[in-house]
């Protein structure tokens, strides 16, 4: 007989890697991503009766994990670098970057839409629904991110 | 030359593929999930569930009344809801009671507290509220099993007789089926112990119990 929690276990096993890899690429931190996926999974476990009905459960876990990781990063930065100055903007005289480095210069909110769009091949509607932001915001973030990347690659 | 979009897909895929193979910790998720479920408070009821008390050198231990539960490994399997074993129930109750500020510890499968630091009425109210929380979170307690509830009913009958002999009145019991239905639905129902405490106070109730030979759950069970 399949119980509520054996269903969760099946979901966990099937979904973990599917969320972990894009999240690790988004955060550029595999350890934090693994922790974030489990943190999101704990929340899914707590409200499994609701989450089991979502049509994009992996997307929900991705968003919750991303939000958790970002809040952790903010907290850590405050603790370690209470007076950390903002990153210096790149100037036109700087040499071009490769794509790997250029991606590093995107902030997490832009990198997340780029990862969902170009790694997972999700539509703008799917991204908007997953991140719970308007579709127009997805479009503008994608446009801004690709424009910035193009600029930094040349 | 590929477009920026094509380059992005290739680079992101390369980064994703280069990640080491790993998997999460499902058992940790289960443990943390259960703990956090307990942290979400739900309204407590006045139902008091005390199965048996054992006075031990100034401390009182609560022992679960479910030494034999149907199913593999002591776990009852229900269609919807996680059925807790008696040991898991004890662990979760201890965590919940501690979250409520009660100084209790788990020991030998029971919950122990020092009655110099914790009032029995606070302990009983805490156990009741924590059981309600567990049920509200979708857990099935060993005591929710009809066989165990029947044993609890019989224990309550014995307790009621014990109180009456000590001059503490209790109300007439419901039928065993009514009792089981109410308990499984989380509706407050017959509890001679809470009635006795309400009528005569904790000290008189405890004295009455100490003068009675209250049967253990095992003594009520029918063995094949």
């Amino acid at each position: 007989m399949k119980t509520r929690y054996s269903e969760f276990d099946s979901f966990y096993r099937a979904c973990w890697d599917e969320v972990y890899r894009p999240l690790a690429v988004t955060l550029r931190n595999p350890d934090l991503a693994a922790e974030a996926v489990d943190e999101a999974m704990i929340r899914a476990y707590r409200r499994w009766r609701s989450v089991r009905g979502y049509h994009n459960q992996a997307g929900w876990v991705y968003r919750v994990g991303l939000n958790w990781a970002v809040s952790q990063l903010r907290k850590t930065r405050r603790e370690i670098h209470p007076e950390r100055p903002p990153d210096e903007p790149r100037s036109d005289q700087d040499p071009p970057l490769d794509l790997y480095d250029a991606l590093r210069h995107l902030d997490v909110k832009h990198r997340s839409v780029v990862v969902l769009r170009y790694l997972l091949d999700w539509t703008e509607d799917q991204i908007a629904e997953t991140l719970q932001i308007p579709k127009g915001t997805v479009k503008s973030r994608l446009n801004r991110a690709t424009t910035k990347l193009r600029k930094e690659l040349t | 030359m590929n477009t920026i979009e094509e380059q992005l897909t290739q680079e992101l895929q390369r980064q994703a593929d280069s990640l080491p193979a790993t998997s999460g910790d499902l058992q940790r998720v289960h443990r943390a999930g259960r703990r956090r479920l307990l942290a979400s408070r739900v309204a407590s009821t006045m139902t008091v569930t005390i199965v048996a008390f054992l006075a031990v050198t100034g401390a009182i231990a609560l022992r679960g009344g479910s030494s034999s539960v149907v199913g593999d490994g002591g776990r009852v399997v229900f269609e919807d809801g996680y059925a807790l074993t008696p040991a898991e129930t004890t662990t979760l109750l201890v965590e919940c009671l501690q979250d409520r500020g009660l100084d209790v510890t788990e020991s030998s499968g029971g919950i122990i507290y020092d009655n110099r630091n914790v009032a029995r009425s606070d302990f009983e109210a805490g156990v009741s509220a924590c059981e309600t929380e567990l049920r509200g979170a979708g857990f099935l307690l060993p005591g929710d099993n009809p066989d165990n509830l029947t044993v609890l009913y019989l224990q309550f009958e014995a307790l009621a007789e014990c109180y009456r002999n000590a001059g503490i009145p209790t109300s007439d019991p419901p039928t065993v089926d009514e009792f089981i239905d109410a308990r499984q639905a989380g509706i407050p129902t017959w509890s001679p112990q809470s009635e006795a405490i309400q009528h005569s106070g904790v000290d008189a109730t405890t004295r009455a119990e100490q003068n009675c030979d209250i049967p253990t759950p095992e003594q009520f069970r029918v063995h094949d």
Side-chain angles (χ1 to χ4, degrees), chain A:
Chain A
M1 188 182 296
K2 195 162 189 176
T3 67
R4 167 188 175 190
Y5 287 93
S6 66
E7 190 181 81
F8 172 83
D9 292 355
S10 303
F11 162 73
Y12 181 95
R13 293 191 183 98
C15 177
W16 201 90
D17 196 63
E18 188 187 334
V19 178
Y20 161 72
R21 287 179 188 274
L23 199 54
V25 173
T26 302
L27 295 168
R28 304 183 70 87
N29 184 333
D31 292 339
L32 180 64
E35 213 179 327
V37 176
D38 269 357
E39 185 63 32
M41 285 292 190
I42 289 167
R43 290 163 198 221
Y45 178 98
R46 282 179 59 192
R47 59 190 72 171
W48 182 240
R49 282 169 202 264
S50 304
V51 175
R52 71 197 293 198
Y54 296 166
H55 73 271
N56 185 358
Q57 296 163 336
W60 185 89
V61 173
Y62 176 90
R63 177 170 56 82
V64 172
L66 180 65
N67 289 340
W68 179 85
V70 168
S71 69
Q72 288 299 109
L73 286 172
R74 282 199 196 107
K75 203 167 129 188
T76 310
R77 279 180 193 139
R78 268 202 306 273
E79 285 165 2
I80 299 173
H81 305 291
E83 292 167 18
R84 181 175 182 264
D87 289 338
E88 280 185 27
R90 282 175 50 76
S91 77
D92 291 343
Q93 280 74 47
D94 289 332
L97 299 172
D98 63 18
L99 192 48
Y100 177 85
D101 285 328
L103 278 165
R104 285 176 55 193
H105 284 84
L106 290 181
D107 61 21
V108 170
K109 72 181 179 187
H110 285 89
R111 212 158 46 227
S112 64
V113 291
V114 166
V115 166
L116 295 178
R117 180 72 191 93
Y118 299 113
L119 177 63
L120 300 186
D121 199 25
W122 286 6
T123 65
E124 290 171 352
D125 284 327
Q126 285 174 307
I127 297 169
E129 189 189 340
T130 296
L131 297 180
Q132 294 198 333
I133 53 177
K135 188 177 171 182
T137 305
V138 176
K139 277 180 186 293
S140 69
R141 284 185 187 173
L142 279 173
N143 184 50
R144 209 172 302 141
T146 49
T147 301
K148 187 176 180 191
L149 290 170
R150 270 194 203 97
K151 193 177 165 191
E152 293 192 337
L153 291 171
T154 54

Side-chain angles (χ1 to χ4, degrees), chain B:
Chain B
M1 182 66 174
N2 291 338
T3 63
I4 184 73
E5 289 81 5
E6 287 167 339
Q7 290 178 56
L8 271 171
T9 300
Q10 286 168 10
E11 171 59 22
L12 293 169
Q13 193 62 59
R14 187 194 65 74
Q15 290 185 22
D17 291 344
S18 69
L19 290 164
T22 181
S23 59
D25 185 346
L26 179 57
Q27 292 312 311
R28 191 184 78 82
V29 168
H30 270 280
R31 286 194 300 275
R34 284 179 217 163
R35 271 201 304 276
R36 289 191 205 176
L37 278 166
L38 288 165
S40 56
R41 301 279 180 253
V42 295
S44 63
T45 69
M46 290 305 291
T47 314
V48 175
T49 306
I50 300 297
V51 178
F53 283 97
L54 178 66
V56 183
T57 59
I60 292 178
L62 170 73
R63 296 196 181 275
S66 50
S67 53
S68 69
V69 184
V70 180
D72 182 32
R75 175 166 299 176
V76 184
V77 180
F78 290 82
E79 190 168 4
D80 190 25
Y82 183 89
L84 296 171
T85 64
E88 286 172 330
T89 307
T90 302
T91 302
L92 291 175
L93 282 176
V94 166
E95 286 180 2
C96 175
L97 290 166
Q98 288 171 342
D99 283 350
R100 288 174 171 268
L102 294 177
D103 183 13
V104 299
T105 51
E106 185 176 353
S107 176
S108 307
I111 303 170
I112 293 182
Y113 67 92
D114 188 331
N115 55 15
R116 289 168 299 188
N117 300 331
V118 179
R120 178 174 161 178
S121 55
D122 289 345
F123 176 73
E124 288 172 6
V127 169
S128 172
C130 288
E131 287 187 338
T132 305
E133 276 190 18
L134 285 170
R135 290 193 180 95
F139 289 113
L140 294 158
L141 306 187
D144 291 338
N145 176 280
D147 289 346
N148 294 330
L149 285 172
T150 304
V151 169
L152 182 63
Y153 179 87
L154 295 172
Q155 277 199 299
F156 275 7
E157 278 192 328
L159 273 172
E161 188 181 344
C162 170
Y163 298 141
R164 279 196 298 275
N165 291 339
I168 302 173
T170 59
S171 62
D172 290 335
T175 66
V176 67
D177 288 339
E178 288 168 345
F179 178 78
I180 290 171
D181 288 347
R183 297 280 310 192
Q184 287 181 330
I187 299 167
T189 184
W190 185 56
S191 171
Q193 203 160 34
S194 56
E195 288 177 25
I197 290 169
Q198 205 167 9
H199 182 272
S200 302
V202 170
D203 290 345
T205 302
T206 305
R207 273 198 305 277
E209 288 169 4
Q210 284 168 347
N211 291 328
C212 291
D213 186 18
I214 301 164
T216 65
E218 267 313 298
Q219 288 173 282
F220 286 110
R221 290 185 192 282
V222 177
H223 296 281
D224 294 330

